[in-house]
Amino acid sequence: MKTHLTPDSLVHRPLLGAWILVRDPRDALYSWHKFRADFAKDPLDLRARTFEEWLDQPGPTGVSRLDDWASFYDAWAGARGSFPRTTVTTFEDLKSDPVPALEKSLGDLGVDIDGTDLAPAVERSSFAAMRAHEEKHPDNDARDPMTKTRIMRSGTPNEWQSWMTPGLHRKFSTGNIAAAARRFGYRTEGT
């Protein structure tokens, strides 16, 4: 099951494992902001005039988007010991070397699969393939402005380097977000 819920929301579901997919919070939150503003067009999200303002707005859990990201990943990191099997995969590893990243994570979960079997699935799941599918099968309801926005985005690692400002850097390099990011190997302090 894919979920945006924290583990405490799933206590009544007997899960045999957990696969945590994590992305650099700078890129993850920027992508979420773009999705919310350009695709979902939620009026609450559109109130923020900038990404920096959006970060400070309460998210789904009632706290800032920065604290929301941190608490979500802290909860899953803390729950890892309660599952028979767990694994962590970074978005960046999936983008840079997907077959070995998937082989490792599937192996951690007790699934034995050969990389030669994964390669075709990885190719069919590439951004180019997914965008081509989206273009080939557009939504037929031309009256709905939502259908004119494509959900598939390229999702490039380290995009944050192109838009980071000193003010945003301060937000990402301190507090809960920096500590949670460090637990997953991301250094948001420094440059």
Side-chain angles (χ1 to χ4, degrees):
M1 133 175 53
K2 173 191 179 272
T3 185
H4 290 273
L5 300 173
T6 53
D8 61 323
S9 302
L10 304 169
V11 293
H12 301 294
R13 293 201 154 187
L15 300 178
L16 299 176
W19 187 340
I20 302 167
L21 177 61
V22 63
R23 183 177 184 186
D24 184 310
R26 296 164 289 197
D27 286 331
L29 287 168
Y30 189 74
S31 177
W32 189 23
H33 169 254
K34 297 298 285 178
F35 170 79
R36 301 292 306 162
D38 298 343
F39 184 76
K41 299 184 189 316
D42 185 309
L44 293 175
D45 292 303
L46 296 174
R47 288 178 44 204
R49 291 170 291 157
T50 65
F51 175 51
E52 191 165 359
E53 285 180 13
W54 182 84
L55 287 173
D56 292 331
Q57 287 183 340
T61 60
V63 298
S64 78
R65 307 304 173 126
L66 295 163
D67 285 338
D68 187 64
W69 188 96
S71 64
F72 176 83
Y73 283 102
D74 280 344
W76 279 102
R80 287 186 76 186
S82 63
F83 298 105
R85 298 173 189 255
T86 63
T87 191
V88 174
T89 306
T90 68
F91 174 85
E92 295 78 13
D93 286 345
L94 282 177
K95 292 296 274 191
S96 66
D97 212 0
V99 172
L102 289 169
E103 275 182 309
K104 183 210 173 292
S105 290
L106 288 168
D108 290 346
L109 296 171
V111 178
D112 185 28
I113 189 161
D114 189 301
T116 57
D117 294 328
L118 285 174
V122 166
E123 180 54 36
R124 286 190 307 272
S125 304
S126 70
F127 172 71
M130 297 298 288
R131 176 52 66 91
H133 177 79
E134 192 174 55
E135 294 294 330
K136 187 176 176 183
H137 301 284
D139 192 313
N140 293 329
D141 189 358
R143 295 168 295 159
D144 184 357
M146 296 283 285
T147 62
K148 298 195 183 344
T149 303
R150 298 290 178 225
I151 193 167
M152 292 307 305
R153 299 170 314 238
S154 64
T156 305
N158 300 313
E159 284 180 293
W160 64 267
Q161 293 175 356
S162 68
W163 51 256
M164 185 60 68
T165 65
L168 286 167
H169 175 71
R170 280 189 295 280
K171 288 183 179 298
F172 282 101
S173 65
T174 60
N176 296 336
I177 189 85
R182 261 192 317 277
R183 277 188 268 295
F184 290 95
Y186 299 104
R187 300 278 180 229
T188 59
E189 311 92 341
T191 57

